[in-house]
Amino acid sequence: MKWLEVKVTTSVEAEEAITNIMHEIGAGGVVIEDPNDLKMLNDSEWDYVDPDMIVNTDKVVISAYFPLMPNTIDKVSIIKDRIMGLKEYNLDIGDFTFETSEVDDDDWANSWKKYYKPFKIGKRVVIKPSWEDYKPEENEIVVELDPGMAFGTGSHETTKMCIEFLEDYVKPNNVVFDVGCGTGILSIVSSKLGAKKVYAVDLDDVAIKVASLNVKLNNLDNIEVLKSDLLHELTGKADLIVANIIADIIIKATYDIHEKLNENGIFISSGIIKDRKDDVLDAISKYFDIIDIKEDGEWIAILSRKK
């Protein structure tokens, strides 16, 4: 079996809560690296622990393993949101980091590709796995996609809602910023809907690699993929910004997004669990007029226009 390793560095205080989240989301196993365990061993009869291995830190590394299935990659967003939500309970998650990687030397992808078939979103967009055949109907827009290890197969509710908004609001000659691009799916959709220029940004190296490959797969030369912490590496302004990330990051980035939009620019935000709806709306409504809100399952997406 092939596995997706989700590795979280967090505080000792948050160890138990995050471990529980991993189990609740369906982890097949969890490994905890806690320096305090080594200290306890050295204080006991187990006196063989190398002192060089013991460091003074309050950090814990939690590695969870999920069997690779069609929806496994989409679980990453849920895990991130659940962990960030711990702050609401005054739980300190410390200097939080989040990494994903493939484990097992075999070709993991073939274990789930057979379940990933072409499917339609909204009125025109068809997501087609690169290894599948599909004959498009009139006016359909086909997006070739190979998700690799990045988030964004198109099957997740948050991505679907973004695409539905993009269908209605991307205009010819638009400049689009895709913040937290993952596989690049929303950038590719924006380009094929007529955007003049698209900038796809992500902080994750895997996402940058996968998005770049998917852009080439779709033979698009108007998408630029950049490594960036949110909008920090982006210059100029956009007519439309889409951010399918998590509630806390959207709240944090709202002002910068406002500043990066042209007058009357459109902001599509998604990746927001229903429990955080009011928090996000409070932040967005300071700088944007709310046009529409979509709900699908436990998720919402917000369409707004710059004031």
Side-chain angles (χ1 to χ4, degrees):
M1 180 176 287
K2 287 76 179 175
W3 302 85
L4 178 70
E5 180 188 64
V6 177
K7 181 177 288 187
V8 172
T9 301
T10 186
S11 66
V12 173
E13 179 182 346
E15 174 188 328
E16 183 176 353
I18 293 177
T19 301
N20 287 338
I21 289 171
M22 298 297 195
H23 284 301
E24 289 171 5
I25 300 298
V30 177
V31 176
I32 300 171
E33 300 172 48
D34 186 347
N36 293 314
D37 292 342
L38 294 178
K39 292 177 184 178
M40 291 175 62
L41 284 174
N42 249 19
D43 291 339
S44 69
E45 68 272 15
W46 297 88
D47 58 359
Y48 62 87
V49 179
D50 186 346
D52 292 337
M53 296 174 61
I54 301 175
V55 294
N56 293 318
T57 179
D58 60 354
K59 294 181 180 179
V60 174
V61 179
I62 302 170
S63 299
Y65 298 88
F66 297 86
L68 280 166
M69 298 292 288
N71 67 336
T72 302
I73 299 171
D74 292 340
K75 290 181 179 179
V76 171
S77 178
I78 301 173
I79 294 169
K80 284 183 179 179
D81 211 64
R82 290 279 300 275
I83 293 174
M84 298 305 292
L86 293 175
K87 294 179 180 179
E88 295 181 27
Y89 302 97
N90 295 318
L91 194 63
D92 179 19
I93 63 174
D95 295 326
F96 175 74
T97 65
F98 192 100
E99 304 172 53
T100 61
S101 61
E102 171 194 351
V103 294
D104 199 319
D105 293 333
D106 296 331
D107 181 13
W108 64 271
N110 291 329
S111 66
W112 63 271
K113 279 185 176 180
K114 61 184 178 181
Y115 300 106
Y116 186 31
K117 301 295 182 182
F119 59 97
K120 190 171 185 177
I121 299 176
K123 299 181 285 290
R124 302 172 59 196
V125 177
V126 175
I127 308 302
K128 185 186 89 65
S130 59
W131 55 89
E132 289 286 329
D133 294 324
Y134 180 78
K135 184 178 181 180
E137 297 181 5
E138 187 177 359
N139 294 324
E140 283 186 338
I141 293 172
V142 178
V143 174
E144 299 271 353
L145 198 69
D146 191 338
M149 292 297 293
F151 172 73
T153 62
S155 61
H156 196 272
E157 294 92 336
T158 60
T159 311
K160 290 179 180 178
M161 290 186 288
C162 285
I163 290 174
E164 289 169 354
F165 277 143
L166 288 171
E167 277 194 318
D168 291 333
Y169 284 89
V170 172
K171 306 300 180 187
N173 297 320
N174 272 179
V175 173
V176 175
F177 292 169
D178 178 8
V179 182
C181 64
T183 58
I185 182 172
L186 299 180
S187 295
I188 294 167
V189 168
S190 298
S191 173
K192 295 201 171 192
L193 286 170
K196 176 178 66 175
K197 182 70 177 181
V198 182
Y199 294 90
V201 299
D202 206 296
L203 191 58
D204 183 71
D205 289 326
V206 173
I208 294 299
K209 179 180 178 181
V210 172
S212 298
L213 290 172
N214 282 322
V215 169
K216 291 180 180 177
L217 193 62
N218 286 272
N219 298 311
L220 299 171
D221 58 8
N222 66 335
I223 300 177
E224 185 172 346
V225 182
L226 300 170
K227 183 174 181 178
S228 176
D229 184 0
L230 300 176
L231 296 92
H232 292 174
E233 300 301 319
L234 291 170
T235 58
K237 292 191 175 185
D239 302 293
L240 185 151
I241 295 178
V242 56
N244 183 19
I245 34 183
I246 61 173
D248 285 288
I249 304 302
I250 291 169
I251 292 170
K252 174 184 175 182
T254 295
Y255 175 76
D256 289 339
I257 288 170
H258 170 268
E259 292 299 293
K260 286 288 187 179
L261 273 172
N262 290 321
E263 292 302 315
N264 297 314
I266 293 293
F267 175 33
I268 298 170
S269 53
S270 189
I272 307 159
I273 57 173
K274 283 185 177 179
D275 290 345
R276 303 301 308 280
K277 176 180 177 179
D278 291 339
D279 296 335
V280 177
L281 284 173
D282 286 345
I284 292 177
S285 60
K286 294 176 183 177
Y287 308 103
F288 297 88
D289 293 320
I290 307 301
I291 300 174
D292 194 8
I293 300 173
K294 289 183 181 289
E295 297 190 5
D296 192 343
E298 293 300 311
W299 303 91
I300 70 165
I302 301 169
L303 178 74
S304 56
R305 189 186 303 275
K306 180 176 178 176
K307 289 184 178 179

